[in-house]
Amino acid sequence: MSPLLSVRNLRVDFPTRSGMFEAVRGVGFDLGRERLGVVGESGSGKTMAGRAILGLVRPPGKVTAERMELGGESILNLPESRMRRLRGSRISMVMQDPKFSLNPVMTVGRQIMEGYRLHTGESRAAARDKALEMLRAVQIRDPERVFDAYPHEVSGGMGQRIMIAMMLAPDPEILIADEPTSALDVSVRNEVLRILDRLVGARGMGLIFISHDLNLVAQFCDRVLIMYAGRVVEELPARDLHAARHPYTQGLLNSLPRLDRPVERLAVLRRQQGWRDAPPEGAA
Amino acid sequence: MTETTRAWLLSDAPQTRRQARMGALYQGWLTFRANRLAMVGLAILILLVLVAAFAPWIAPQNPYAQNLAERLKPPSAQHWLGTDALGRDILSRLIHGSRVTLFIVGTVALIAPVIGLFVGTVAGFAGGWVDQVLMRITDIFLAFPKLILALAFVAALGPGIGNAVLALAVTSWPPYARLARAETLTIRNADYIAAARLQGAGPLRLLIGHIWPLCVSSLIVRVALDMAGIILSAAGLGFLGLGAQPPMPEWGAMISDGRTYILDFWWVAAMPGMAIFIVSLAFNLLGDGLRDVLDPKGGRE
Amino acid sequence: MVQPDMTGQPGRGTPPPAGGVPSARAARLRRRARSLGGLVLSLALTLLGLLLVTFVIGRVMPIDPVLKVVGERATQAQYEAARIAMGLDKPLWQQFLLYMGEVLRGDFGRSISTGHPVAQDLRRVFPATVELASLGTLIGVCVGVPLGVVAAARRGGWIDQIARVVALVGYSMPIFWLGLMGLLLFYGILGWVGGPGRQGIIYDGMVPTVTGLILVDSLIAGDWAAFRDAFSHIVLPASLLGYFSLAYISRMTRSFMLEQLSAEYVVTARVKGLSERRVIWGHAFRNILVPLITVIALSFGSLLEGSVLTEIVFSWPGIGQYITKALLAGDMNAVLGGTVVVGTCFVALNLLSDILYRLLDPRAK
């Protein structure tokens, strides 16, 4: 089966006063109907790679790639009008903090209906039904009331579920989740993850799960990309993470505390210049 | 500047407090210098100060000397900017008028922020009813239309340049008070204030030694941005005949003189207006540049 | 900046309560109504202060109000009688209470220069100023808001540069001088507009007064010639005020928009696949509407005041000209009456923008 999304040698560059800043330097992967984790520290280019796929890198940033295909069709630097038709309807994204990613002066219902109506052309009434259905799907108990609520009136965990409902309403094939639980209380994280997992699985979607949390990704995803300094340094199945070969991945793993293997002092990650340019480990 | 001085100024690891402070100033200057428009503003203002300082030597003629035979003459080689209704040389009057303008702006810019700083920091620091009362007074002054209040003050005190300055200062302090209060509220509960308090610093010492210095930089930016407004208000008072009294060559009053002849002898009113425009534009450019240096987060924008 | 301070409203910016869905819309409205009560109270205090300041200014004036009434040649007995009749022999606090009572009844005394009651004069001159300031604000909003939005959306582009120059010149130009130059060019040289004043002489008093706004009144009367005449007189001063208003409004709009366009919900809107136009106007712009209303109200207030100089230049029979003339004539009743009216308008505009803020912003507590 051909992959949903295929990316080769993706680069994102920003001109700065002191020369080009290369945020993403040759990232490549294929995404099927699976949960793909992308792990890296802040500044490793994982967020920028996600935005490049959605065509959301604003000038003066520049996106280049050998290949960027959605369902076999190139989406690299498509004209904005054609890209708009893909965004939301075929690829969508959930961002970190619902406090900031929901429009504060629009009711939740209107925000959910907006994208759905744009891509399906449905009537207001049908869109309302769909929005309520989606709110129910993300396990919101009183959808009618939340529908008329403003974002500041809902809690963080509820906000993120609303965000998921909103982004999945037009039935996209791919969802990019950029640190979707980092801003949430630990107590509601698992709930949001479970909902996300169930919906993505039931719809047979591809999920790109961007996170800095190695353990979380290992539990939640099928496959993991480790990014460092704008490159993929290692790619491996999530269950084999403990067998990672790249010293950066090993370093990340060793710097995490483990209950089953307590140590006197946690190891400190030692970065090496060579990682920046070496070819990735594992299957590419 | 030699390379070593430069290196000393730009050092990442300053050895002394003086070096650190000089370094910070130099960095600020570099940022400011990169803003070409701000440099233009600065250049105009330096020129203005020089012109004001050396006015008697620069001015081609006596600004008060009347010559009715030469009245209302258009710009010419003899009178570069023409003459007014009393045959006085407009250029000379503009040059001498720069002293009046600088006097008004300088004095107001000194008095108003100081009143504002005092009221605002005391209100913010003391809190409680002191805050309530002071801020209510500030609100009352803010509720007044500024120019009309200034007009009423000048009318009550009698027209004249000193009273015009006083009126402008009395009407322009409230925004500074609000700004200073807001700054004070954010730093009042900072840990280092608590630390100073634990060391036994009294409220007056905290206010003068710790809070005032931190409010000053944002006040300076605000003053720089307000300078143009002060010039325009002062010129407005002069235009209404409530500022500097004749025969003092005040720019606003000069426009008022030219108003009667506007349709036939345009230059009498046009020239002083250009002078006001150029100087307040310079202050605006300078203010924008200063804001970028001192307040990178941006105050007005 | 010549414009008033942005933070003229008390009691702003309390963060919304976190978490949970509150009962319903009704609760929201109830909470807002309660906080409005406090607001009205604080504004009443401000108005009281306004009266106090005008009262003090009136007493400080080096002009003897009694002498103005009885004339220079009155006898000592006449003078004393007038003094007592005017209540000036009473203690100051009683005088203030009397003054307050009169003002609240709408009685500002008699103007010495016009001979009419001040209140009657104000009814005549105030609409002229309102007409001018409203048209100016209308121009400022219609041009300034789109200009500011586009400048922010295309930051650094040529429209942004133009907007910057327009604002910079607006902040630096003496309004009375620009008015004179405008008169010189459009009236003196080109002859495109009517000259100083509100109407041509032949139309003076021809249109029955309904609202006091001549543009509106002439439309009500169906008198097209009078409308055209009034328009040709108002267009230049209104454009002038409009220019200053638009300089301010466009700058504020731009900075509000820049702040909103960098917000995360804008990315969300783009992810949804919305067009850029819809992202800007449907999402970002909706978020600046409320602060923008405050800016527009303030700008209208500053035009009421800024019209003092403009009215002098254009011989516009409005409140600014009325106050200035009264000042120069030492006519204190007229000055104080005018000042109280303008100050009250300022306060009322603040109140209005605050009410709108509380009603329109879902986040307002």
Side-chain angles (χ1 to χ4, degrees), chain B residues 141 144-158 163-172 233-234 236-237 240 242, chain C residues 57 305 327 339:
Chain B
F141 274 86
F144 262 107
K146 213 168 121 183
L147 188 60
I148 291 179
L149 186 59
L151 282 178
F153 266 109
V154 177
L157 302 170
N163 289 340
V165 166
L166 202 62
L168 288 175
V170 163
T171 52
S172 45
S233 300
L237 284 180
L240 295 175
L242 294 170
Chain C
I57 291 176
E305 173 203 21
L327 264 176
T339 310

Side-chain angles (χ1 to χ4, degrees), chain C residues 98-110 117-119:
Chain C
L98 279 175
Y99 170 70
M100 219 171 73
E102 282 165 9
V103 168
L104 287 181
R105 264 178 279 129
D107 177 7
F108 296 105
R110 195 170 277 274
V118 171

